[in-house]
Amino acid sequence: MLGEPEYNMNELFAQLGLDSSDEAIDSFIEKNQLAKEEKLIESTVWNDSQRAFLQEEWNKDAAWVEVIDDLNVRMHPDS
């Protein structure tokens, strides 16, 4: 029986309609660091559809949740 697919950061960025190359991801994260108290999903870096996707997948505790959590950690380096 097949389980949930495993996604990675490149696939998440592609799903969000962003450049999904390793260099582009690193650059995006570096340029969009979040304050400790700022929630990933509430950040102004996302458009409405990107925010909705992140929120929906997080709330469903879907296959994307580990990658979204990793993105959250990487965008909050001071946490």
Side-chain angles (χ1 to χ4, degrees):
M1 192 161 152
L2 295 175
E4 290 275 336
E6 291 189 27
Y7 296 110
N8 62 42
M9 192 67 66
N10 302 85
E11 292 167 323
L12 177 61
F13 271 66
Q15 181 69 33
L16 293 170
L18 300 170
D19 186 339
S20 61
S21 69
D22 291 340
E23 297 80 14
I25 292 169
D26 290 343
S27 177
F28 178 90
I29 291 170
E30 183 180 319
K31 292 176 183 174
N32 294 291
Q33 295 292 286
L34 303 175
K36 186 175 183 176
E37 65 281 347
E38 186 176 6
K39 294 182 179 180
L40 176 72
I41 296 170
E42 294 174 358
S43 174
T44 60
V45 303
W46 313 116
N47 66 34
D48 291 341
S49 63
Q50 292 167 330
R51 188 175 297 105
F53 173 80
L54 292 168
Q55 183 71 58
E56 181 178 319
E57 295 304 306
W58 184 261
N59 288 344
K60 289 192 310 189
D61 197 21
W64 289 105
V65 78
E66 286 186 32
V67 182
I68 294 170
D69 187 50
D70 183 36
L71 177 62
N72 184 49
V73 168
R74 290 179 64 187
M75 290 181 73
H76 285 97
D78 297 328
S79 296

